[in-house]
Amino acid sequence: MARHTHSQSSKRSAHSSLTQDTDNTEAILAKFAQAEKLEAQLSAIDDDKKAKRKLPAGTDQKAQGLRAKLCQVLIEVIVADPVMSHSKDASKRLWHSCFYSRVNELRMELWKEKSRAKKRQVSGGDVSGSEKIVSVVNERLKGSIKEALKLYEWLIDKMVKMLQPMTQSQSTNVSENSENEDYEHAVVAILYWSHLYMGDLLRYDESYKQAEEIYLKSSKLYPGNGNPFNQLAVVAQSQDSLSAVALYYYARSMMATQAPSAMSDSNLKRLFTSNAKWLDEHARKDDSFSRGIFEANRSEGKKADKKAQREWQQKQKTAMNRMALAKFVDLQWSFVKGISLDGTALQDIIQNMDSVMDIFTQLINDASFGESLLCKIVAILSFGTLGASNGGKLCKASMFEKKLRKDPSWKKDDIVANNALAFSFVLRFCTVLMNDIGVHLENKKDEKIGTIRSMSSMVLCVNFVNAVYKGSEWFHGLPFFPGKAFSTDTSSSDTSLIICELCKESHNDFWRSVAKLAN
């Protein structure tokens, strides 16, 4: 009798729990229905604005009230049921409807007012009215960003606290574990998007250092996703002197293993274009600037004011680093685009390769590049090599026929030759790193090997070289190099023979440096 009573009690408890879950689900679905109505109203206002229709007085206040209501509804459902919220893209909807649309609207308004003020200033007109409007719009923008940042800080803190009990307890029940995994996955996804959007807000606020930190956190929450790296590249690109860092992050974004960023391709082209423009504006072919800086590095004691001299030299080194990295980025553009196999184009790129390598050799010998930057350069070189002549995208040999069917004018030989050309530059760069390490070891025999700044990048570079020589499905240029796959009959053209000779020379220099360093 006692067992029967206990059984009935258990059934009533289970039924009560099921009823409660059903009620909660229905309440959350009702909230989503409310959110859809609010989104529709905001969308209608946006459509009227885009169509430049005359809007009733108080439209902005109405939109602001709708966004506030929508924000409250979406936050409530995200906290109440992360799994359902994730399945219905609540995080993205919160961002786009409640924050991004308003912030973007204010940014556009600010840009237009600044443009108007600039035109009036050029024409000699009065800019006081425009400056006042710019100040007001800027304050509104900063206020909107600050408000959004507070909310995302709160939401991130809330999600982390919701996640902690999951990590502290483990169930042996298969069904419960499955539910826990779904819950954990949803909370982590919400954290990922929240960090990504928070990074965007900090970027809009030009708080670049903080934006970088938040984007990096986002990348760790969703390894294999390219979006955080695309945003990190945008941050670097916003700071004019960091074109090489921007290229590094675009490379990581496009080569993300699970979800490459769809935006990186077009953003990368804009980076290459703006970098080329900067070079053209700063005497692309004038090497006297470079020579002057190298002389400056060795002119200690010629000026009376030692402090002023050091400051001047530091500025010159910084300028030289920027010029060198800009030329390096431009060279990678040549590899990514691919050169046609006619003699003129080949001679030009070989000349550029020699010029960049000479400057890099000097800068590495002068310890002008830090360890982190050198490692980034190796990653960029890997990207430029594997994505050569294909817009930076990887291409298996099995994809050749498909590309040829899509474009009958496409030539497989172009990818093969450009792969080889880019890889020869990798070998030369790695050789420079090994020679630099060799000099350090000779001059400072007691120096710890881990303190040599070019060590990490050299190891990284050698690992990439080793992987290529072993055979990579993404690399097709080995026929141009000495070894089992080598053949001087790869093509009868003079261009191919020139590339073969270049590859042979870089190959031999690389292995001689390996042997010297090993001994």
Side-chain angles (χ1 to χ4, degrees):
M1 183 71 180
R3 284 197 302 270
H4 179 67
T5 303
H6 177 72
S7 176
Q8 285 182 329
S9 175
S10 298
K11 287 179 181 179
R12 281 196 299 270
S13 176
H15 177 72
S16 175
S17 177
L18 183 62
T19 303
Q20 187 177 1
D21 288 344
T22 303
D23 290 343
N24 288 341
T25 301
E26 288 177 355
I28 291 168
L29 288 172
K31 290 281 187 184
F32 273 113
Q34 184 184 358
E36 287 174 11
K37 289 178 181 178
L38 292 168
E39 286 168 324
Q41 289 177 271
L42 282 168
S43 181
I45 293 174
D46 287 340
D47 290 342
D48 286 341
K49 285 183 178 180
K50 288 174 184 176
K52 297 183 178 178
R53 298 188 184 101
K54 188 174 181 180
L55 300 172
T59 299
D60 282 343
Q61 288 82 352
K62 180 183 176 182
Q64 191 172 346
L66 290 170
R67 279 191 290 268
K69 287 180 183 176
L70 179 60
C71 178
Q72 183 178 352
V73 170
L74 289 174
I75 286 292
E76 285 176 2
V77 296
I78 287 171
V79 172
D81 193 334
V83 176
M84 186 184 294
S85 298
H86 178 54
S87 69
K88 290 184 176 290
D89 285 331
S91 294
K92 295 180 186 178
R93 291 161 67 179
L94 175 70
W95 166 247
H96 286 286
S97 296
C98 299
F99 301 114
Y100 176 73
S101 59
R102 178 57 176 163
V103 168
N104 193 51
E105 182 182 290
L106 290 169
R107 290 176 74 214
M108 288 300 296
E109 188 178 346
L110 188 63
W111 177 80
K112 286 176 183 177
E113 288 300 331
K114 284 182 176 179
S115 297
R116 288 193 191 104
K118 190 174 182 180
K119 287 178 182 177
R120 284 175 187 157
Q121 190 175 33
V122 170
S123 62
D126 182 19
V127 298
S128 59
S130 293
E131 287 176 348
K132 188 178 288 186
I133 295 173
V134 166
S135 178
V136 170
V137 175
N138 194 45
E139 284 301 312
R140 286 179 186 167
L141 176 60
K142 286 189 174 294
S144 295
I145 290 173
K146 187 177 180 180
E147 184 182 334
L149 283 170
K150 280 185 178 179
L151 183 135
Y152 277 110
E153 285 173 1
W154 178 87
L155 182 59
I156 287 170
D157 183 62
K158 187 74 174 177
M159 290 294 108
V160 169
K161 287 176 180 176
M162 292 171 70
L163 195 62
Q164 284 173 346
M166 301 292 299
T167 59
Q168 292 169 2
S169 62
Q170 290 184 338
S171 172
T172 56
N173 186 294
V174 175
S175 177
E176 283 185 16
N177 279 337
S178 178
E179 289 178 6
N180 288 348
E181 285 177 10
D182 290 343
Y183 181 87
E184 186 175 331
H185 173 76
V187 173
V188 170
I190 292 167
L191 281 168
Y192 164 76
W193 289 111
S194 297
H195 278 88
L196 195 67
Y197 298 143
M198 192 173 175
D200 287 345
L201 290 165
L202 290 165
R203 176 165 56 86
Y204 299 151
D205 197 43
E206 297 184 358
S207 302
Y208 295 129
K209 187 67 179 175
Q210 290 173 276
E212 285 177 15
E213 292 172 0
I214 295 297
Y215 284 140
L216 285 170
K217 286 182 180 179
S218 179
S219 71
K220 292 173 184 176
L221 286 162
Y222 192 168
N225 190 297
N227 280 339
F229 297 111
N230 179 77
Q231 302 306 83
L232 282 162
V234 173
V235 169
Q237 204 170 341
S238 300
Q239 303 168 76
D240 291 336
S241 60
L242 300 177
S243 59
V245 177
L247 177 53
Y248 163 75
Y249 283 124
Y250 281 134
R252 289 198 64 175
S253 176
M254 291 179 69
M255 292 204 169
T257 54
Q258 292 184 27
S261 173
M263 297 181 290
S264 291
D265 188 25
S266 58
N267 286 348
L268 179 64
K269 290 172 184 174
R270 278 194 288 272
L271 170 67
F272 283 140
T273 303
S274 62
N275 182 74
K277 183 180 178 182
W278 185 89
L279 276 172
D280 287 335
E281 291 172 353
H282 293 78
R284 178 191 288 268
K285 295 181 180 179
D286 184 10
D287 286 333
S288 61
F289 180 66
S290 304
R291 290 196 298 273
I293 290 170
F294 290 145
E295 290 168 6
N297 289 341
R298 292 167 172 73
S299 61
E300 292 289 344
K302 290 185 179 180
K303 292 187 179 181
D305 190 341
K306 295 284 187 180
K307 183 179 179 181
Q309 182 187 6
R310 285 195 296 271
E311 289 176 354
W312 177 79
Q313 286 180 341
Q314 186 57 47
K315 288 180 181 177
Q316 295 300 307
K317 284 183 179 181
T318 301
M320 180 55 199
N321 285 1
R322 180 175 183 182
M323 178 64 77
L325 292 170
K327 287 186 175 183
F328 169 68
V329 170
D330 195 57
L331 177 63
Q332 296 309 304
W333 191 17
S334 298
F335 292 145
V336 167
K337 286 190 302 184
I339 60 159
S340 59
L341 298 181
D342 64 74
T344 306
L346 179 61
Q347 290 303 324
D348 286 344
I349 197 170
I350 290 174
Q351 185 178 350
N352 290 338
M353 288 166 68
D354 290 342
S355 173
V356 172
M357 191 54 64
D358 287 344
I359 297 171
F360 269 24
T361 301
Q362 190 66 63
L363 288 171
I364 290 170
N365 290 343
D366 290 340
S368 295
F369 288 163
E371 182 180 15
S372 175
L373 179 58
L374 287 171
C375 288
K376 286 181 172 67
I377 288 172
V378 173
I380 291 168
L381 289 171
S382 305
F383 167 74
T385 298
L386 299 180
S389 194
N390 198 40
K393 299 180 182 69
L394 299 176
C395 185
K396 293 182 182 180
S398 59
M399 297 164 65
F400 286 176
E401 290 185 12
K402 183 179 178 182
K403 290 180 74 71
L404 193 57
R405 284 197 300 270
K406 188 175 180 180
D407 180 11
S409 64
W410 181 79
K411 296 178 180 178
K412 177 190 78 172
D413 290 347
D414 285 351
I415 279 190
V416 175
N418 279 280
N419 269 175
L421 203 58
F423 186 57
S424 72
F425 190 83
V426 175
L427 292 175
R428 292 172 70 182
F429 183 74
C430 197
T431 299
V432 170
L433 294 175
M434 287 189 287
N435 291 342
D436 179 63
I437 291 168
V439 169
H440 274 276
L441 293 176
E442 285 179 14
N443 295 341
K444 301 177 181 179
K445 297 188 182 297
D446 296 331
E447 184 176 6
K448 293 181 180 179
I449 198 165
T451 63
I452 303 174
R453 69 174 64 195
S454 51
M455 178 60 67
S456 297
S457 53
M458 186 274 290
V459 172
L460 194 65
C461 201
V462 168
N463 283 337
F464 175 70
V465 168
N466 185 46
V468 168
Y469 273 129
K470 281 185 175 181
S472 167
E473 60 181 342
W474 310 110
F475 183 78
H476 317 289
L478 280 180
F480 282 93
F481 289 85
K484 294 180 181 179
F486 178 66
S487 171
T488 54
D489 295 324
T490 301
S491 173
S492 58
S493 70
D494 291 340
T495 298
S496 293
L497 293 176
I498 291 170
I499 294 174
C500 275
E501 190 58 35
L502 191 68
C503 292
K504 180 180 178 181
E505 183 180 347
S506 61
H507 169 93
N508 291 337
D509 287 346
F510 171 81
W511 287 109
R512 274 195 291 268
S513 294
V514 170
K516 184 178 178 181
L517 190 62
N519 293 329

